[in-house]
Amino acid sequence: MTLRSSTLTLPLKLSRRLGPERAHRLAIGALSVPLVARVAGWAASADDDGLAVEALGRRFANPIGLAAGFDKDARVVRQLGRLGFGFVEAGTVTPRPQSGNPRPRLFRLPEDGAVINRMGFNNQGLDQFLERARRLRAGSGPGFPFGANVGINKEGADPLRDYAHLVRTLAPHADYLVINLSSPNTPGLRDLQQADRLRELLDAIVSAAPARPPVLVKLAPDLADESLPGIVEIVVQAGLDGLIVSNTLLARPPGLHGPHIREAGGLSGRPLKPRSTAMLAEVARLSAGRLTLIGCGGIETGSDILEKLQAGADLVQLYTAFAYEGPALLGRLKRELRQALQAGGWSSIGDARAAGRSVVHIAGER
């Protein structure tokens, strides 16, 4: 085993013998080591023009992003980008530090390629996140688009005040911002997706931060389909830029395996893909090109990425597959995505998305 591969894979192998939360801390710690950061840069999978995407006023070297939740405190954003992600989203960050929900709060479902979490926005708070974001943006910046995902504290929150403050504070230091209204682990948070409350909240954000980068809203997959037209129109009318579809799932699809399937929290990974992709296609139909869409939920293969793109996504995000597979995932996904494009007769992602707008093929509706 070479130095490059062993430095990246040994922590992953060790992590599989640990509890999931300890494994996550190990991964963040490993990426914080300068040697690992350098090796990550050497080992990163290559991009080419066929994988490039123009979205949110930026060029993305590839459409594959890391979703919020992995690097909650923006500690290793630059190192994660060097692994080959096209963009990295840090957070969720809240105005004040909080420890999150009691442990255990993170559970693997390995047979299903899934995870259940009820972390509860554990993070070090806005002040520390802001300082790291400032350092990240200093000079020429990280070299790839960086997003910041924001939420509210479990106690003492005023959503209109707090989201506006978070957006206004972080606006100069991120390429895009995400309003997280869809975590199932903060009581009352998902109620902010209701039409009247959403309209009031987005108006407050826009008023507080007229000079801001693109702002997106992250939606819950448990939303009823009949609520989607109203949500899309409110986001468009408020002047926001996009939606992330979707966050984790409260429902439990049939056929899950293992001792943790009844644990409370949000389900991510493979079982989420049918619902998140179907919801993405509907949101794409409703928004009709007026919003940038990021598809998230259940991505494990290059074909999964292509499916999200053809369902209407401009970009995609993943987390659970990365937690299971580690840095090697990025190279495999890019190879498989290129193969899927070639099999379809497309030379670029833009060609494939144009074809997908004509005939959308959705897994789970076969």
Side-chain angles (χ1 to χ4, degrees):
M1 183 178 287
T2 66
L3 173 64
R4 296 182 186 184
S5 62
S6 63
T7 304
L8 291 172
T9 59
L10 285 176
L12 176 65
K13 290 179 178 179
L14 176 60
S15 74
R16 290 170 180 156
R17 301 186 180 186
L18 303 175
E21 194 162 353
R22 289 185 65 193
H24 179 259
R25 290 197 300 272
L26 173 66
I28 295 291
L31 286 167
S32 301
V33 175
L35 174 62
V36 176
R38 288 196 296 271
V39 171
W42 298 336
S45 53
D47 294 309
D48 56 57
D49 289 343
L51 296 185
V53 174
E54 298 285 340
L56 298 173
R58 292 292 305 270
R59 184 183 189 275
F60 295 73
N62 69 74
I64 309 168
L66 180 62
F70 186 87
D71 189 4
K72 291 175 178 289
D73 298 305
R75 291 177 55 194
V76 291
V77 170
R78 195 182 301 274
Q79 295 92 318
L80 287 164
R82 288 173 178 161
L83 294 178
F85 285 105
F87 62 110
V88 175
E89 186 176 311
T92 297
V93 58
T94 57
R96 300 178 306 282
Q98 62 181 26
S99 59
N101 292 324
R103 295 182 176 91
R105 53 193 182 180
L106 186 62
F107 308 91
R108 297 186 183 109
L109 280 63
E111 288 186 62
D112 303 302
V115 167
I116 293 172
N117 95 83
R118 52 172 181 264
M119 301 299 288
F121 285 173
N122 56 307
N123 74 105
Q124 296 174 352
L126 177 59
D127 288 346
Q128 291 202 39
F129 189 103
L130 177 61
E131 180 58 32
R132 294 185 182 117
R134 283 173 172 157
R135 292 200 301 266
L136 183 68
R137 301 280 287 179
S140 59
F144 52 85
F146 159 62
N149 184 300
V150 301
I152 55 174
N153 289 101
K154 185 175 181 179
E155 298 179 354
D158 178 332
L160 271 64
R161 176 199 67 198
D162 293 345
Y163 277 112
H165 174 61
L166 287 159
V167 169
R168 183 172 56 245
T169 302
L170 289 171
H173 309 291
D175 294 300
Y176 71 92
L177 298 168
V178 177
I179 311 301
N180 190 342
L181 306 178
S182 49
S183 169
N185 303 312
T186 297
L189 186 70
R190 289 190 170 193
D191 294 342
L192 297 174
Q193 297 172 117
Q194 296 173 3
D196 291 344
R197 300 192 70 183
L198 179 62
R199 184 179 295 106
E200 184 181 21
L201 176 64
L202 298 187
D203 286 346
I205 290 170
V206 170
S207 297
R212 60 187 185 276
V215 178
L216 299 87
V217 176
K218 189 167 187 175
L219 298 180
D222 303 279
L223 285 167
D225 286 345
E226 53 266 29
S227 70
L228 295 178
I231 289 172
V232 168
E233 291 307 316
I234 289 168
V235 171
V236 170
Q237 291 168 16
L240 268 65
D241 301 273
L243 294 167
I244 298 181
V245 186
S246 65
N247 211 320
T248 57
L249 183 68
L250 276 175
R252 296 292 181 264
L256 297 177
H257 304 84
H260 301 303
I261 61 174
R262 299 191 186 280
E263 292 287 350
L267 177 72
S268 64
R270 188 186 309 145
L272 177 58
K273 191 181 80 164
R275 171 56 187 164
S276 63
T277 309
M279 182 176 171
L280 170 66
E282 178 62 9
V283 168
R285 185 187 70 82
L286 292 166
S287 59
R290 295 176 292 169
L291 297 171
T292 296
L293 302 181
I294 299 179
C296 185
I299 292 173
E300 296 179 299
T301 69
S303 294
D304 293 337
I305 295 172
L306 183 58
E307 186 174 20
K308 296 279 191 188
L309 294 169
Q310 291 196 305
D314 298 277
L315 301 161
V316 301
Q317 287 180 329
L318 53 84
Y319 180 172
T320 302
F322 180 65
Y324 276 114
E325 191 167 334
L329 175 69
L330 275 299
R332 177 176 66 78
L333 288 179
K334 291 178 188 179
R335 289 192 302 272
E336 292 175 354
L337 179 55
R338 291 186 186 98
Q339 291 166 1
L341 290 171
Q342 184 177 16
W346 303 301
S347 60
S348 70
I349 284 174
D351 292 342
R353 291 189 70 248
R357 284 192 289 268
S358 300
V359 180
V360 178
H361 177 64
I362 301 298
E365 296 185 344
R366 295 171 181 167

